[in-house]
Coordinates of all heavy atoms in Angstrom, one line a residue:
M1 N -54.3 -12.4 -5.1 CA -53.3 -13.4 -4.6 C -53.2 -13.2 -3.0 O -53.1 -14.1 -2.3 CB -52.0 -13.2 -5.3 CG -51.0 -14.3 -4.9 SD -49.7 -14.4 -6.1 CE -48.7 -12.9 -5.7
H2 N -53.1 -11.9 -2.6 CA -52.9 -11.7 -1.2 C -54.1 -11.3 -0.5 O -54.1 -10.8 0.6 CB -51.9 -10.5 -1.1 CG -50.4 -11.1 -1.0 ND1 -49.9 -11.8 0.0 CD2 -49.5 -11.0 -2.0 CE1 -48.7 -12.1 -0.2 NE2 -48.4 -11.6 -1.4
D3 N -55.3 -11.7 -1.0 CA -56.5 -11.4 -0.3 C -56.7 -12.3 0.9 O -57.5 -12.1 1.8 CB -57.7 -11.4 -1.2 CG -58.0 -12.8 -1.7 OD1 -57.1 -13.7 -1.7 OD2 -59.2 -13.1 -2.1
E4 N -55.8 -13.4 1.0 CA -55.9 -14.2 2.2 C -55.4 -13.5 3.4 O -55.7 -13.9 4.5 CB -55.0 -15.5 1.9 CG -55.7 -16.5 1.0 CD -55.2 -17.9 1.2 OE1 -54.5 -18.1 2.2 OE2 -55.5 -18.7 0.4
V5 N -54.6 -12.5 3.2 CA -54.2 -11.7 4.4 C -55.4 -11.1 5.1 O -55.4 -10.9 6.3 CB -53.2 -10.6 3.9 CG1 -52.7 -9.8 5.1 CG2 -51.9 -11.3 3.3
Q6 N -56.4 -10.7 4.3 CA -57.6 -10.1 4.9 C -58.3 -11.1 5.7 O -59.1 -10.8 6.6 CB -58.5 -9.6 3.8 CG -57.8 -8.8 2.7 CD -57.5 -7.4 3.2 OE1 -58.1 -6.9 4.2 NE2 -56.6 -6.7 2.5
R7 N -58.2 -12.4 5.4 CA -59.0 -13.4 6.1 C -58.2 -13.9 7.3 O -57.0 -13.8 7.4 CB -59.2 -14.6 5.2 CG -60.1 -14.3 4.0 CD -60.0 -15.4 3.0 NE -60.9 -15.2 1.9 CZ -62.2 -15.6 1.9 NH1 -62.7 -16.2 2.9 NH2 -63.0 -15.3 0.9
H8 N -59.0 -14.4 8.2 CA -58.3 -15.0 9.4 C -59.3 -16.0 10.0 O -60.4 -16.1 9.7 CB -58.0 -13.9 10.4 CG -59.2 -13.2 11.0 ND1 -59.8 -12.2 10.4 CD2 -60.0 -13.5 12.1 CE1 -60.9 -11.8 11.1 NE2 -61.0 -12.6 12.2
F9 N -58.7 -16.8 10.8 CA -59.5 -17.8 11.5 C -59.0 -17.9 13.0 O -57.8 -17.6 13.2 CB -59.4 -19.2 10.9 CG -58.0 -19.8 10.8 CD1 -57.6 -20.6 11.8 CD2 -57.2 -19.4 9.8 CE1 -56.3 -21.2 11.7 CE2 -55.9 -20.0 9.7 CZ -55.4 -20.8 10.7
W10 N -59.8 -18.4 13.9 CA -59.4 -18.5 15.3 C -59.1 -20.0 15.6 O -59.8 -20.9 15.0 CB -60.5 -18.0 16.2 CG -60.7 -16.5 16.1 CD1 -61.5 -15.8 15.2 CD2 -60.0 -15.5 16.9 NE1 -61.4 -14.5 15.4 CE2 -60.5 -14.2 16.4 CE3 -59.1 -15.5 17.9 CZ2 -60.1 -13.1 17.0 CZ3 -58.7 -14.3 18.5 CH2 -59.2 -13.1 18.0
L11 N -58.1 -20.2 16.4 CA -57.8 -21.6 16.8 C -57.2 -21.6 18.2 O -56.3 -20.7 18.5 CB -56.7 -22.1 15.8 CG -56.5 -23.6 15.8 CD1 -57.8 -24.3 15.2 CD2 -55.3 -24.0 15.0
P12 N -57.7 -22.4 19.0 CA -57.1 -22.5 20.4 C -55.7 -23.1 20.3 O -55.5 -24.1 19.6 CB -58.1 -23.4 21.1 CG -59.3 -23.6 20.3 CD -58.8 -23.3 18.9
V13 N -54.8 -22.6 21.1 CA -53.4 -23.1 21.2 C -53.1 -23.4 22.6 O -53.3 -22.5 23.5 CB -52.4 -22.1 20.6 CG1 -51.0 -22.6 20.7 CG2 -52.8 -21.7 19.1
A14 N -52.7 -24.6 22.9 CA -52.4 -25.0 24.3 C -51.1 -24.3 24.7 O -50.1 -24.2 23.9 CB -52.3 -26.5 24.4
D15 N -51.0 -23.9 25.9 CA -49.7 -23.4 26.4 C -48.8 -24.6 26.6 O -49.2 -25.7 26.9 CB -49.9 -22.8 27.8 CG -50.6 -21.4 27.7 OD1 -50.6 -20.8 26.7 OD2 -51.2 -21.0 28.7
P16 N -47.5 -24.4 26.2 CA -46.5 -25.5 26.3 C -46.4 -26.0 27.8 O -46.1 -25.2 28.7 CB -45.2 -24.9 25.8 CG -45.4 -23.4 25.9 CD -46.9 -23.1 25.8
G17 N -46.7 -27.3 28.0 CA -46.5 -27.9 29.3 C -47.6 -27.5 30.3 O -47.6 -28.0 31.4
G18 N -48.5 -26.7 29.9 CA -49.6 -26.3 30.8 C -50.9 -26.8 30.5 O -51.1 -27.5 29.5
R19 N -51.9 -26.5 31.3 CA -53.2 -27.0 31.1 C -54.0 -25.9 30.4 O -55.1 -26.2 29.8 CB -53.9 -27.3 32.4 CG -53.5 -28.6 33.0 CD -53.8 -28.6 34.5 NE -53.4 -29.9 35.1 CZ -54.3 -30.8 35.4 NH1 -55.6 -30.6 35.2 NH2 -54.0 -32.0 35.9
G20 N -53.6 -24.7 30.5 CA -54.3 -23.6 29.9 C -54.0 -23.4 28.4 O -53.3 -24.3 27.8
G21 N -54.4 -22.3 27.9 CA -54.2 -22.0 26.5 C -54.8 -20.7 26.1 O -55.5 -20.1 27.0
T22 N -54.6 -20.3 24.9 CA -55.2 -19.1 24.4 C -55.7 -19.3 23.0 O -55.1 -20.0 22.2 CB -54.1 -18.0 24.4 OG1 -53.5 -17.9 25.6 CG2 -54.7 -16.6 24.1
R23 N -56.8 -18.6 22.7 CA -57.4 -18.7 21.3 C -56.8 -17.6 20.5 O -57.1 -16.4 20.8 CB -58.9 -18.7 21.4 CG -59.5 -19.1 20.1 CD -61.0 -19.3 20.3 NE -61.7 -18.1 20.9 CZ -62.6 -18.2 21.8 NH1 -63.0 -19.3 22.3 NH2 -63.1 -17.1 22.3
H24 N -56.0 -17.9 19.5 CA -55.3 -16.9 18.7 C -56.0 -16.8 17.3 O -56.6 -17.8 16.9 CB -53.9 -17.2 18.5 CG -53.0 -17.1 19.7 ND1 -52.4 -15.9 20.1 CD2 -52.7 -18.0 20.7 CE1 -51.8 -16.1 21.2 NE2 -51.9 -17.3 21.6
A25 N -55.8 -15.7 16.7 CA -56.3 -15.6 15.3 C -55.1 -15.7 14.4 O -54.0 -15.3 14.7 CB -56.9 -14.2 15.1
F26 N -55.3 -16.4 13.2 CA -54.2 -16.6 12.3 C -54.7 -16.2 10.9 O -55.8 -16.3 10.5 CB -53.9 -18.1 12.2 CG -53.4 -18.7 13.5 CD1 -54.3 -19.2 14.4 CD2 -52.0 -18.8 13.7 CE1 -53.8 -19.7 15.6 CE2 -51.5 -19.3 14.9 CZ -52.4 -19.7 15.9
P27 N -53.7 -15.6 10.1 CA -54.1 -15.2 8.8 C -54.4 -16.4 7.9 O -53.6 -17.4 8.0 CB -52.9 -14.4 8.3 CG -51.8 -14.8 9.1 CD -52.4 -15.3 10.5
G28 N -55.3 -16.3 7.0 CA -55.6 -17.5 6.2 C -57.1 -17.8 6.3 O -57.9 -17.2 7.0
R29 N -57.4 -18.8 5.5 CA -58.8 -19.3 5.5 C -59.1 -20.3 6.6 O -60.1 -20.3 7.3 CB -59.2 -20.0 4.2 CG -59.2 -19.0 3.0 CD -59.0 -19.7 1.7 NE -58.8 -18.8 0.6 CZ -59.7 -18.3 -0.2 NH1 -61.0 -18.7 0.0 NH2 -59.4 -17.4 -1.1
R30 N -58.2 -21.2 6.8 CA -58.4 -22.2 7.8 C -57.0 -22.8 8.1 O -56.0 -22.6 7.4 CB -59.3 -23.3 7.3 CG -58.7 -24.2 6.2 CD -59.7 -25.2 5.7 NE -60.5 -24.7 4.6 CZ -60.1 -24.7 3.3 NH1 -58.9 -25.2 3.0 NH2 -60.8 -24.2 2.3
W31 N -57.0 -23.6 9.2 CA -55.7 -24.3 9.5 C -55.6 -25.5 8.5 O -56.6 -26.3 8.4 CB -55.8 -24.8 10.9 CG -54.6 -25.6 11.3 CD1 -53.3 -25.3 11.0 CD2 -54.6 -26.8 12.1 NE1 -52.5 -26.3 11.6 CE2 -53.2 -27.2 12.2 CE3 -55.6 -27.6 12.7 CZ2 -52.9 -28.3 13.0 CZ3 -55.2 -28.7 13.4 CH2 -53.9 -29.1 13.6
E32 N -54.4 -25.6 7.9 CA -54.3 -26.7 6.9 C -53.3 -27.7 7.4 O -52.6 -28.3 6.6 CB -53.9 -26.0 5.6 CG -55.1 -25.4 4.9 CD -54.7 -24.5 3.7 OE1 -53.5 -24.3 3.5 OE2 -55.6 -24.0 3.1
G33 N -53.1 -27.8 8.7 CA -52.3 -28.9 9.2 C -50.9 -28.5 9.5 O -50.1 -29.4 9.8
E34 N -50.5 -27.3 9.3 CA -49.1 -26.9 9.6 C -48.8 -27.2 11.1 O -49.6 -27.0 11.9 CB -48.8 -25.4 9.3 CG -49.1 -25.0 7.9 CD -50.5 -24.3 7.8 OE1 -51.4 -24.8 8.4 OE2 -50.6 -23.4 7.1
R35 N -47.5 -27.5 11.3 CA -47.1 -27.7 12.7 C -47.0 -26.4 13.5 O -47.3 -26.4 14.7 CB -45.8 -28.5 12.7 CG -45.7 -29.8 12.0 CD -46.5 -30.9 12.8 NE -45.9 -31.1 14.1 CZ -45.0 -32.0 14.3 NH1 -44.4 -32.6 13.4 NH2 -44.5 -32.1 15.6
T36 N -46.6 -25.4 12.8 CA -46.5 -24.1 13.5 C -47.0 -23.0 12.5 O -47.0 -23.2 11.3 CB -45.1 -23.7 13.9 OG1 -44.3 -23.6 12.7 CG2 -44.4 -24.7 14.8
R37 N -47.4 -21.9 13.1 CA -48.0 -20.9 12.2 C -47.9 -19.6 13.0 O -48.0 -19.6 14.3 CB -49.4 -21.1 11.9 CG -50.0 -20.2 10.8 CD -51.1 -21.0 10.2 NE -51.7 -20.1 9.1 CZ -52.4 -20.5 8.1 NH1 -52.6 -21.8 8.0 NH2 -52.9 -19.7 7.2
E38 N -47.6 -18.5 12.3 CA -47.5 -17.2 13.0 C -48.9 -16.6 13.2 O -49.7 -16.4 12.2 CB -46.6 -16.2 12.2 CG -46.3 -15.0 13.0 CD -45.3 -14.0 12.3 OE1 -44.5 -14.6 11.6 OE2 -45.5 -12.8 12.5
A39 N -49.2 -16.3 14.4 CA -50.6 -15.7 14.7 C -50.6 -14.2 14.4 O -49.5 -13.6 14.1 CB -50.9 -15.9 16.2
I40 N -51.8 -13.7 14.4 CA -51.9 -12.2 14.1 C -51.1 -11.4 15.0 O -50.6 -10.3 14.7 CB -53.4 -11.8 14.1 CG1 -54.2 -12.7 13.1 CG2 -53.6 -10.4 14.0 CD1 -54.2 -12.1 11.7
C41 N -51.0 -11.8 16.3 CA -50.2 -11.1 17.3 C -48.7 -11.2 17.1 O -48.0 -10.6 17.8 CB -50.7 -11.5 18.7 SG -50.3 -13.3 19.0
G42 N -48.3 -12.0 16.2 CA -46.9 -12.1 15.9 C -46.2 -13.3 16.5 O -45.0 -13.5 16.2
E43 N -46.9 -14.0 17.3 CA -46.2 -15.2 17.9 C -46.2 -16.4 17.0 O -47.2 -16.7 16.3 CB -47.0 -15.6 19.2 CG -46.7 -14.7 20.4 CD -47.2 -15.3 21.7 OE1 -46.7 -16.4 22.1 OE2 -48.1 -14.7 22.3
Q44 N -45.1 -17.1 17.0 CA -45.0 -18.3 16.2 C -45.5 -19.4 17.1 O -44.9 -19.6 18.2 CB -43.6 -18.5 15.7 CG -43.4 -19.7 14.8 CD -43.8 -19.3 13.4 OE1 -43.8 -18.1 13.0 NE2 -44.2 -20.2 12.6
L45 N -46.6 -20.1 16.8 CA -47.2 -21.0 17.7 C -47.3 -22.4 17.2 O -47.5 -22.6 16.0 CB -48.6 -20.5 18.0 CG -48.6 -19.1 18.7 CD1 -50.0 -18.6 18.7 CD2 -48.2 -19.3 20.2
P46 N -47.1 -23.4 18.0 CA -47.3 -24.8 17.6 C -48.8 -25.1 17.6 O -49.5 -24.8 18.5 CB -46.6 -25.6 18.7 CG -46.7 -24.7 19.9 CD -46.7 -23.3 19.4
L47 N -49.2 -25.7 16.5 CA -50.7 -26.0 16.3 C -51.0 -27.4 16.5 O -50.2 -28.3 16.1 CB -51.1 -25.5 14.9 CG -50.9 -24.0 14.6 CD1 -51.4 -23.7 13.2 CD2 -51.5 -23.2 15.6
A48 N -52.1 -27.7 17.0 CA -52.6 -29.1 17.2 C -54.1 -29.0 17.1 O -54.7 -28.0 17.3 CB -52.2 -29.7 18.5
N49 N -54.7 -30.2 16.8 CA -56.1 -30.2 16.7 C -56.8 -29.9 18.0 O -56.5 -30.6 19.0 CB -56.5 -31.7 16.2 CG -57.5 -31.6 15.1 OD1 -58.1 -30.6 14.8 ND2 -57.6 -32.7 14.4
P50 N -57.5 -28.8 18.1 CA -58.1 -28.5 19.4 C -59.3 -29.4 19.8 O -60.0 -29.8 18.9 CB -58.5 -27.0 19.2 CG -58.8 -26.9 17.7 CD -57.9 -27.9 17.1
S51 N -59.4 -29.6 21.0 CA -60.6 -30.4 21.5 C -61.7 -29.4 21.7 O -61.5 -28.2 21.7 CB -60.2 -31.1 22.8 OG -60.1 -30.1 23.9
E52 N -62.9 -29.9 21.9 CA -64.0 -29.1 22.2 C -63.9 -28.3 23.4 O -64.3 -27.1 23.5 CB -65.3 -30.0 22.3 CG -66.5 -29.2 21.9 CD -67.7 -30.2 21.7 OE1 -67.5 -31.2 21.1 OE2 -68.8 -29.8 22.1
M53 N -63.2 -28.8 24.4 CA -63.0 -28.1 25.7 C -62.0 -27.0 25.4 O -62.1 -25.9 26.1 CB -62.4 -29.1 26.7 CG -63.4 -30.0 27.3 SD -64.8 -29.2 28.0 CE -64.1 -28.4 29.5
D54 N -61.0 -27.1 24.5 CA -60.1 -26.0 24.2 C -60.9 -24.8 23.7 O -60.6 -23.7 24.1 CB -59.1 -26.4 23.2 CG -58.1 -27.5 23.7 OD1 -58.0 -27.6 25.0 OD2 -57.5 -28.1 22.9
W55 N -61.9 -25.1 22.9 CA -62.7 -24.0 22.3 C -63.4 -23.2 23.4 O -63.6 -22.0 23.5 CB -63.7 -24.5 21.3 CG -63.1 -24.8 20.0 CD1 -62.8 -26.0 19.4 CD2 -62.6 -23.8 19.0 NE1 -62.2 -25.8 18.2 CE2 -62.1 -24.5 17.9 CE3 -62.7 -22.4 18.9 CZ2 -61.6 -23.9 16.7 CZ3 -62.2 -21.8 17.8 CH2 -61.7 -22.5 16.7
I56 N -63.9 -24.0 24.4 CA -64.7 -23.5 25.4 C -63.9 -22.7 26.5 O -64.2 -21.7 27.0 CB -65.6 -24.6 26.1 CG1 -66.6 -25.1 25.1 CG2 -66.3 -24.1 27.3 CD1 -67.2 -26.5 25.5
C57 N -62.7 -23.3 26.8 CA -62.0 -22.9 28.0 C -60.9 -21.8 27.7 O -60.6 -21.0 28.5 CB -61.3 -24.1 28.7 SG -62.5 -25.3 29.3
H58 N -60.4 -21.8 26.5 CA -59.2 -20.9 26.3 C -59.7 -19.5 26.0 O -60.6 -19.3 25.1 CB -58.4 -21.4 25.1 CG -57.7 -22.7 25.3 ND1 -57.7 -23.4 26.5 CD2 -56.9 -23.4 24.5 CE1 -57.0 -24.4 26.4 NE2 -56.5 -24.5 25.2
P59 N -59.2 -18.6 26.7 CA -59.6 -17.2 26.4 C -59.0 -16.6 25.1 O -58.0 -17.2 24.6 CB -59.0 -16.4 27.7 CG -57.9 -17.2 28.1 CD -58.2 -18.7 27.8
T60 N -59.7 -15.6 24.6 CA -59.2 -15.0 23.4 C -57.9 -14.2 23.6 O -57.8 -13.5 24.6 CB -60.3 -14.1 22.8 OG1 -61.5 -14.9 22.6 CG2 -59.9 -13.5 21.5
C61 N -57.0 -14.3 22.7 CA -55.8 -13.5 22.7 C -56.2 -12.0 22.5 O -56.7 -11.7 21.4 CB -54.8 -14.0 21.7 SG -53.4 -12.9 21.5
T62 N -55.9 -11.2 23.5 CA -56.3 -9.8 23.3 C -55.5 -9.0 22.2 O -56.0 -8.1 21.6 CB -56.2 -9.0 24.6 OG1 -54.9 -9.3 25.2 CG2 -57.2 -9.5 25.6
T63 N -54.2 -9.4 22.1 CA -53.4 -8.8 21.0 C -54.0 -9.1 19.6 O -54.1 -8.2 18.8 CB -52.0 -9.2 21.2 OG1 -51.5 -9.1 22.5 CG2 -51.1 -8.4 20.2
C64 N -54.3 -10.4 19.4 CA -54.9 -10.7 18.1 C -56.2 -10.0 17.9 O -56.5 -9.4 16.9 CB -55.2 -12.2 18.1 SG -53.8 -13.3 17.8
W65 N -57.0 -9.9 19.0 CA -58.3 -9.3 18.9 C -58.2 -7.8 18.6 O -58.8 -7.3 17.7 CB -59.1 -9.5 20.2 CG -60.4 -8.8 20.3 CD1 -60.7 -7.7 20.9 CD2 -61.6 -9.3 19.7 NE1 -62.0 -7.3 20.8 CE2 -62.6 -8.3 20.0 CE3 -62.0 -10.3 18.9 CZ2 -63.9 -8.4 19.5 CZ3 -63.3 -10.4 18.4 CH2 -64.2 -9.5 18.8
N66 N -57.3 -7.1 19.3 CA -57.1 -5.7 19.1 C -56.5 -5.4 17.7 O -56.9 -4.4 17.1 CB -56.2 -5.1 20.2 CG -57.0 -5.0 21.5 OD1 -58.2 -4.8 21.5 ND2 -56.3 -5.2 22.6
T67 N -55.6 -6.3 17.3 CA -55.0 -6.0 16.0 C -56.0 -6.1 14.9 O -56.1 -5.3 14.0 CB -53.9 -7.1 15.7 OG1 -52.9 -6.9 16.8 CG2 -53.2 -6.8 14.4
L68 N -56.9 -7.2 15.0 CA -57.9 -7.3 13.9 C -58.9 -6.2 14.0 O -59.4 -5.7 13.0 CB -58.6 -8.7 14.1 CG -57.8 -9.9 13.8 CD1 -58.5 -11.2 14.3 CD2 -57.6 -10.0 12.3
R69 N -59.3 -5.8 15.2 CA -60.2 -4.7 15.3 C -59.7 -3.4 14.7 O -60.4 -2.7 14.0 CB -60.6 -4.5 16.8 CG -61.9 -3.7 17.0 CD -62.2 -3.5 18.4 NE -61.0 -3.0 19.2 CZ -61.0 -2.8 20.5 NH1 -62.0 -3.1 21.2 NH2 -59.9 -2.3 21.1
N70 N -58.4 -3.1 15.0 CA -57.8 -1.9 14.5 C -57.7 -2.0 12.9 O -57.8 -1.0 12.3 CB -56.4 -1.7 15.0 CG -56.4 -1.4 16.5 OD1 -57.5 -0.9 17.0 ND2 -55.3 -1.6 17.2
K71 N -57.5 -3.2 12.4 CA -57.4 -3.3 10.9 C -58.8 -3.0 10.3 O -58.9 -2.4 9.2 CB -57.0 -4.7 10.5 CG -55.5 -4.9 10.5 CD -55.2 -6.3 10.0 CE -53.7 -6.6 10.1 NZ -53.4 -8.0 9.7
Q72 N -59.8 -3.4 11.0 CA -61.2 -3.2 10.4 C -61.7 -1.8 10.6 O -62.4 -1.3 9.8 CB -62.2 -4.2 11.1 CG -62.0 -5.6 10.5 CD -62.9 -6.6 11.2 OE1 -63.0 -6.7 12.4 NE2 -63.7 -7.3 10.3
F73 N -61.4 -1.2 11.8 CA -62.0 0.0 12.1 C -61.0 1.2 12.3 O -61.4 2.3 12.6 CB -62.8 -0.1 13.4 CG -63.9 -1.2 13.3 CD1 -63.8 -2.4 14.1 CD2 -64.9 -1.1 12.5 CE1 -64.7 -3.4 14.0 CE2 -65.9 -2.1 12.4 CZ -65.8 -3.2 13.1
G74 N -59.8 0.9 12.2 CA -58.8 1.9 12.5 C -58.4 2.9 11.5 O -57.6 3.7 11.7
R75 N -59.1 2.9 10.3 CA -58.7 3.8 9.3 C -59.6 5.0 9.2 O -60.8 4.9 9.3 CB -58.7 3.1 8.0 CG -57.5 2.2 8.0 CD -57.3 1.5 6.6 NE -56.4 0.4 6.7 CZ -56.1 -0.4 5.7 NH1 -56.7 -0.3 4.6 NH2 -55.2 -1.4 5.9
Ligands
LIG101 ZN1 -52.5 -13.9 19.5

């Protein structure tokens, strides 16, 4: 039942009011259209359909990245 916690997906999230954004990791299989979702790094983030440019331009959230890396290799 809780094996979805093991899974994650990446999704670009635009900064509020800004042009930039960050690509965060979220627990689950995929984005299922929720308006907000808590990222791996603990931030509650508003979600929207990312454009192709968002995928290219937004840098990866280092907190999400490190958290996932520690989960996989930290034991
Ligand atoms: Zn993050």
Side-chain angles (χ1 to χ4, degrees):
M1 186 162 72
H2 271 288
D3 67 339
E4 285 204 10
V5 177
Q6 313 282 343
R7 295 167 175 273
H8 65 274
F9 61 93
W10 292 89
L11 195 71
V13 179
D15 288 338
R19 285 160 175 255
T22 309
R23 193 167 55 222
H24 291 273
F26 297 86
R29 289 159 194 265
R30 70 181 91 85
W31 179 41
E32 288 169 351
E34 302 99 319
R35 301 289 298 273
T36 64
R37 191 154 178 157
E38 188 176 328
I40 300 279
C41 60
E43 282 194 64
Q44 191 78 26
L45 296 165
L47 301 183
N49 230 343
S51 72
E52 206 165 321
M53 285 305 288
D54 291 341
W55 282 105
I56 295 166
C57 296
H58 291 0
T60 300
C61 171
T62 50
T63 308
C64 282
W65 176 258
N66 286 326
T67 303
L68 287 169
R69 197 179 54 183
N70 290 340
K71 274 186 186 173
Q72 284 180 305
F73 302 115
R75 289 184 193 173

